[in-house]
Amino acid sequence: MRLSRSFLPTLKENPAEAQITSHRLMLRAGLIRQTSAGIYAWLPAGLKVLRNIANIVRAEQDAIGAQEMLMPTLQSSELWKRSGRYDAYGPEMLRIRDRHERDLLYGPTNEEMVTDLFGQVVKSYRELPQVLYHVQWKFRDEVRPRFGVMRGREFYMKDAYSFDVDYDAAVDSYRRMMLAYLRTFQRLGVKAIPMVADTGPIGGELSHEFLVLAPTGESGVFFDGAFEEQDWLSEAVDISDRESLAKFFARMTSFYAATDEKHDEAQWAKVPPERRREGRGIEVGHIFHFGRKYTESMDISVSGPDGAPLYPEMGSYGIGVSRLVAAIIEASHDEQGIIWPQSVAPFAAVIINLKNGDAQCDEICERLYAAAPEHLLYDDRGERAGVKFADADLMGHPWQVIVGPRGAKAGIVEVKNRASGERSEMPVDAVLAHIGVGA
Ligand code: ATP
Ligand code: MG
C-alpha cells in the first residue's frame, strides 16, 4: 500500500476518549474508528490485523479437525425459546422485530442455532464426533462498553461447538481444543494462561479461560510462576490418542492458576511464596464443557448403538478475535507505539523514502515495493523524515527499511527492527531476504 494514497489516518495527539493504551494506539495508528457506542469500523490496516488473527485461529481449529461454517448474525427467537434462554438472557440480548412481527435477535452466541443445525444433519452416533466452528460478529448490549474493541457491543468471535457420543469423548474434544488454543496464542505472539473458570449452574471442572497478562486487564489473576517458565508445546501430543491427550492436560493443569472469581486461598497457600504471581489479565478465550444441556432441552438426539435416542455431549469454545487485537497491543508496545508480532502485523515492513523526488531514492523504494506490494507499506508522502519515523514506530511494522540519498548512491539502505531497535545497513538486494518478504 502506498501511504500517500491510503486510508490510514494516523493521529499525533492522544484521543481524549481513550483510557487505555491499546485503545489510544488503535485510534492513533488508524486501525479503527468508533461509529456508535461500542461499535467500530475497521479501517484497512485494522482489518488486515483482524484477518491475520482470524486466519491463525482458523488454521489451528482446522488442525484438530474442526470444520468451518458460517452461521448468520440474526437468529429467530423460536430457537432460544426452545432452550429456555430467550427469557433468561436479559437486556444484553439485542431483540429485533421484522415487518411480519416476528421476533429476531442479533446473536450473542450460537449454541441453539448450531445444535438445531446439527440435529437436522446428524442422525447416528457413528457420525460423531463433530466439531463445528465459525468466525462471526456477535452483539451483546453491554451496560458499559469501554476500552475500545476490548469490550465492544459488536465484536468478532470464533466460536466452536463439539458433539460427542459420551462424557469421555467430550473430554477428549475439550482437551484437543485446549491444545489448539495454546498453539493459536503462541502463533499470535502472546502468552495466554489457561485458568480454571466458573462453570455456572452446570458445575463440574471443565471450564478454562485464557488470560493474557496486562495491567489494564479486567480480571484479577493468581498463578504459579512455574507456569511461565515452561514451553508447554515442546512435547508432542497425539490428538487421536486419549492417553496422550490426558498426559498433556495433566501437565497443563498441574500448576495453580485462577481468576479472582475462582481463586481458592487454601490451594494458593500450597504454592511456594516465591512462585506466587498476582496481577491482572485480559480474557481472550473461554472453553466450556456443558454436557447435554442444549441437546436435552432442545430435544436433539441421534440414534445410539442400541437404537435408542442418544443425546450428544457438547462443549463450546470461544476466542475473542477483535478483543485480541487490543490484547496483543496491551502486551506488545512501547512509548512510541505498537510493536506487532510478525504473524499479525498489517504489513511486514514499511519502506521509508527519506527524499521523495530523488531519482535514486525513488527508484530503490519503487523496486523494493514492487516485490510484494500486498505485504509492504511504502511511505511515499512528502513529509519530513521525523514524521515518517514517528508514524512507522506508532504503526508498529516489524521492520523499517530506510532509504536515504547518501546510501542510495552506493546501493545501501538501512533496516531497523521495531522490536529490538537494532539497525543494520545492507545492499538493496539483501533487504527482502533479511526481512523475510518476497521470493
Ligand atoms: P467477559 O467476561 O469479558 O464479558 P464472557 O465471559 O461473557 O466475556 P464468552 O461468552 O466467554 O465471554 O465469549 C468468548 C470470548 O469472546 C471471550 O473470552 C472474550 O475474549 C470475547 N468477548 C466476550 N465479550 C466481548 C465483548 N463485549 N467485546 C469483545 N470481546 C468479547
Ligand atoms: Mg467467558
Side-chain angles (χ1 to χ4, degrees), residues 140 197 208-209 283 285-288 323:
R140 294 183 189 172
H208 286 86
E209 292 176 342
E283 182 194 323
H286 194 168
I287 60 178
F288 215 107
R323 177 180 288 182

Side-chain angles (χ1 to χ4, degrees), residues 54 58 68-70 133-137 156-158 321:
R58 288 188 172 102
E68 186 173 11
M69 60 191 292
L70 183 60
Y133 77 97
H134 71 165
V135 189
Q136 179 60 292
W137 294 96
Y156 203 40
M157 193 208 284
K158 183 283 299 182
V321 175

Side-chain angles (χ1 to χ4, degrees), residues 69 119 121 164 198 244 254 259 271 334 354 356 393 425-426 433 436:
M69 60 191 292
V121 175
D164 278 285
D198 245 329
S244 182
S254 59
T259 61
V271 179
D334 63 14
L354 290 184
N356 276 37
D393 282 349
E425 295 201 331
M426 63 188 68

Side-chain angles (χ1 to χ4, degrees), residues 244-266:
S244 182
L245 285 167
K247 256 177 66 188
F248 155 76
F249 188 73
R251 212 162 61 232
M252 289 313 306
T253 51
S254 59
F255 292 106
Y256 186 85
T259 61
D260 38 17
E261 284 173 359
K262 285 286 278 188
H263 184 51
D264 178 339
E265 287 294 344

Side-chain angles (χ1 to χ4, degrees), residues 82-227:
R82 274 164 66 194
S83 73
R85 280 210 292 182
Y86 191 62
D87 293 325
Y89 214 91
E92 272 195 13
M93 179 186 277
L94 180 65
R95 296 155 208 259
I96 302 163
R97 183 160 289 174
D98 73 11
R99 68 198 297 167
H100 304 294
E101 308 272 302
R102 279 187 290 249
D103 289 323
L104 302 173
L105 57 102
Y106 194 128
T109 178
N110 282 65
E111 280 84 3
E112 283 80 358
M113 185 177 278
V114 78
T115 304
D116 182 61
L117 289 165
F118 168 88
Q120 292 178 34
V121 175
V122 178
K123 298 297 173 194
S124 159
Y125 78 96
R126 287 193 195 83
E127 296 164 68
L128 301 178
Q130 292 281 337
V131 185
L132 302 168
Y133 77 97
H134 71 165
V135 189
Q136 179 60 292
W137 294 96
K138 304 289 183 294
F139 195 96
R140 294 183 189 172
D141 205 351
E142 303 269 354
V143 201
R144 238 178 307 123
R146 56 185 184 153
F147 303 155
V149 298
M150 192 77 88
R151 182 169 296 284
R153 293 200 296 164
E154 187 186 47
F155 59 98
Y156 203 40
M157 193 208 284
K158 183 283 299 182
D159 38 324
Y161 304 88
S162 62
F163 298 85
D164 278 285
V165 68
D166 58 22
Y167 177 78
D168 288 345
V171 168
D172 290 346
S173 289
Y174 185 91
R175 292 173 176 172
R176 271 191 287 272
M177 200 55 87
M178 179 176 272
L179 178 66
Y181 273 43
L182 292 167
R183 288 176 172 162
T184 301
F185 296 125
Q186 186 180 59
R187 282 179 66 179
L188 294 174
V190 287
K191 187 167 257 151
I193 306 177
M195 302 201 177
V196 182
D198 245 329
T199 45
I202 319 283
E205 294 291 289
L206 278 181
S207 180
H208 286 86
E209 292 176 342
F210 291 75
L211 285 105
V212 171
L213 299 176
T216 49
E218 292 186 290
S219 316
V221 298
F222 300 81
F223 66 100
D224 185 334
F227 225 104

Side-chain angles (χ1 to χ4, degrees), residues 39-60:
I39 303 180
Y40 292 84
W42 292 79
L43 308 191
L47 180 60
K48 279 174 181 280
V49 179
L50 194 67
R51 281 205 182 121
N52 290 344
I53 295 173
N55 285 338
I56 289 173
V57 169
R58 288 188 172 102
E60 294 301 333

